Amino acid sequence: MRRIAFLQKTDKYSGAENIVITIMKLLPKEKYDCIYVSLDGGIREVVEAEGLKFYAMPNAHMKSVKAAIEHVKPDIIHATDYGMSSYAAMLHTGIPVVAHLHNNVPWLQNPLDPKNLFFALALPLISQVISVSPSIEDEFVYRNLLKNKNHVIYNVVDLERVKTLSASSELLAERKYEIAFLGRLTLQKKPLLFCEIINKYKEINQNVTAVMIGDGELRSEVEKYIEENNLDDNITLMGFQKNPYQFLKNTKLLLMPSEYEGFGLAAVESLSLGKPVVCSGAGGLKNVVTPECGLICSDINDYIGEIQKLLTSREYYDQKSKNAKIRASQFGNMEDYIQRIIDVYDKCLD
């Protein structure tokens, strides 16, 4: 029996946390003892609701990481954050560390950024690396340190789970919308650009409806923009939702103007429900979204043009909706995914 400690930095539930929970559920229980290690918070409820073990850290400092590792006594540390991966490696515990990289953060391109230097110093002590798209290694200025240890493994989506959850009939999800935003309200996801695009499209259709699913530090700025531009009747803020899929089901398309993305999990989830994705193409999005199931946009006019076509041409929309489901199916092979993760663990212990 191998014990795997899944080391996380946050207390929130989002894309990376979703993937960790998926991995924990897919690993054979007779061979792997999995423990989710992170700050206490909303994520504990989600993890324990899945029947999984949870260990709470008081904070994300190196001392707390050390105490957690000493308590859990794992055979492998699977860390899904640059900082947590670096901490775990720098502790010199002798326990193999797998760094699972979910974002091609901008500082990967800056050789003098302190976070980049810290991660680069830790990499020789990290056993194996999993990156969710080729863009992460491509944009990493110290990419030579990843040689012979980086494995590009695209995230997997439990398509049946998304479909089942989307069928929920909760009261909040009864209203239908045309355009959705799904993600944290952070600079990375560019929620203000989303609002700007909706405001611009309102010049074409003053009754356009959009829903924003997620919360974050930019919430007050988003609320201010909506108020100042009289978008209260056009944009509905739903905040964080445990089940965002019921909202996606009741929309026409997903808009993702992200600054950067490691993989683009929300894009695949949207595609699986037949919802075309109109996006920036940042990071892993360019490996997910194709012209057949959505569009990668270079400026605001591209966004407006594609939204207009999707919302006014039934034939155009139906074709992209059909292709969206086909595209999503390519990211739903659970057996292949977990076997590739297990192969990485085996490399750690060889």
Side-chain angles (χ1 to χ4, degrees):
M1 179 74 74
R2 293 175 177 175
R3 175 167 288 185
I4 315 293
F6 290 89
L7 185 61
Q8 286 279 104
K9 183 179 182 179
T10 71
D11 60 357
K12 302 290 193 302
Y13 177 70
S14 191
E17 293 77 15
N18 182 351
I19 291 298
V20 170
I21 291 171
T22 297
I23 293 172
M24 292 175 72
K25 290 167 64 178
L26 288 175
L27 285 170
K29 291 180 174 56
E30 66 276 11
K31 294 182 179 180
Y32 296 92
D33 179 23
C34 301
I35 302 176
Y36 193 109
V37 180
S38 77
L39 303 185
D40 208 347
I43 186 61
R44 178 200 279 266
E45 181 181 347
V46 179
V47 171
E48 293 183 342
E50 296 286 353
L52 303 170
K53 296 179 182 178
F54 183 89
Y55 178 87
M57 295 189 296
N59 54 56
H61 300 158
M62 199 165 184
K63 184 177 180 181
S64 295
V65 173
K66 182 175 185 291
I69 293 171
E70 290 175 347
H71 180 87
V72 174
K73 296 181 173 59
D75 297 299
I76 295 174
I77 300 167
H78 187 145
T80 51
D81 171 84
Y82 289 93
M84 289 293 102
S85 300
S86 300
Y87 281 174
M90 290 291 199
L91 286 169
H92 296 276
T93 62
I95 300 169
V97 176
V98 175
H100 198 159
L101 309 180
H102 288 268
N103 276 316
N104 55 332
V105 286
W107 51 257
L108 286 175
Q109 303 174 54
N110 181 357
L112 299 180
D113 187 283
K115 293 187 289 294
N116 206 0
L117 290 170
F118 185 54
F119 183 62
L121 287 171
L123 264 173
L125 303 172
I126 292 173
S127 178
Q128 300 293 322
V129 176
I130 298 171
S131 53
V132 299
S133 76
S135 62
I136 292 175
E137 181 171 350
D138 292 343
E139 297 177 18
F140 185 33
V141 68
Y142 299 115
R143 66 183 66 87
N144 62 300
L145 295 174
L146 293 173
K147 190 175 295 184
N148 300 323
K149 67 170 61 177
N150 183 38
H151 311 269
V152 177
I153 305 178
Y154 291 111
N155 284 337
V156 71
V157 177
D158 188 340
L159 302 178
E160 285 304 312
R161 177 175 178 272
V162 172
K163 182 179 178 180
T164 299
L165 290 174
S166 73
S168 170
S169 58
E170 292 181 20
L171 182 62
L172 287 174
E174 287 185 348
R175 182 181 172 186
K176 295 186 182 297
Y177 302 90
E178 291 167 309
I179 305 169
F181 173 97
L182 175 57
R184 287 187 53 74
L185 305 183
T186 62
L187 291 173
Q188 174 195 349
K189 304 295 184 179
K190 302 185 81 168
L192 289 170
L193 177 56
F194 175 89
C195 294
E196 184 182 346
I197 293 169
I198 300 301
N199 194 32
K200 183 75 173 176
Y201 185 69
K202 188 180 176 183
E203 296 174 9
I204 299 173
N205 177 9
Q206 63 179 356
N207 297 316
V208 60
T209 57
V211 60
M212 300 185 74
I213 311 156
D215 215 336
E217 57 265 30
L218 294 183
R219 169 121 190 188
S220 60
E221 292 184 42
V222 170
E223 291 174 336
K224 182 179 178 182
Y225 186 97
I226 290 173
E227 181 182 358
E228 291 179 347
N229 290 277
N230 300 312
L231 293 170
D232 298 270
D233 293 332
N234 305 100
I235 300 177
T236 301
L237 290 175
M238 293 307 308
F240 170 76
Q241 297 292 324
K242 291 181 183 177
N243 178 11
Y245 313 117
Q246 54 179 324
F247 297 92
L248 282 180
K249 181 184 178 183
N250 282 341
T251 61
K252 287 286 188 178
L253 62 96
L254 180 69
L255 185 57
M256 294 184 69
S258 307
E259 178 71 23
Y260 60 93
E261 288 281 351
F263 173 68
L265 187 63
V268 178
E269 293 171 334
S270 180
L271 294 173
S272 73
L273 296 174
K275 312 301 177 180
V277 176
V278 185
C279 68
S280 63
L285 284 174
K286 61 178 171 287
N287 303 117
V288 173
V289 179
T290 68
E292 289 73 34
C293 64
L295 190 71
I296 292 175
C297 304
S298 58
D299 57 40
I300 195 166
N301 291 324
D302 287 347
Y303 284 107
I304 298 301
E306 182 67 2
I307 291 171
Q308 174 73 348
K309 288 180 183 179
L310 288 168
L311 296 184
T312 58
S313 172
R314 180 62 180 270
E315 182 180 359
Y316 187 78
Y317 180 86
D318 286 350
Q319 186 60 51
K320 290 213 171 186
S321 176
K322 177 182 176 182
N323 290 334
K325 293 180 180 180
I326 295 172
R327 180 61 175 159
S329 67
Q330 298 176 32
F331 299 94
N333 191 329
M334 311 291 275
E335 291 183 6
D336 177 70
Y337 177 79
I338 199 60
Q339 185 55 56
R340 296 188 69 189
I341 297 293
I342 290 172
D343 289 345
V344 172
Y345 293 164
D346 289 342
K347 287 181 182 294
C348 287
L349 299 173
D350 281 345

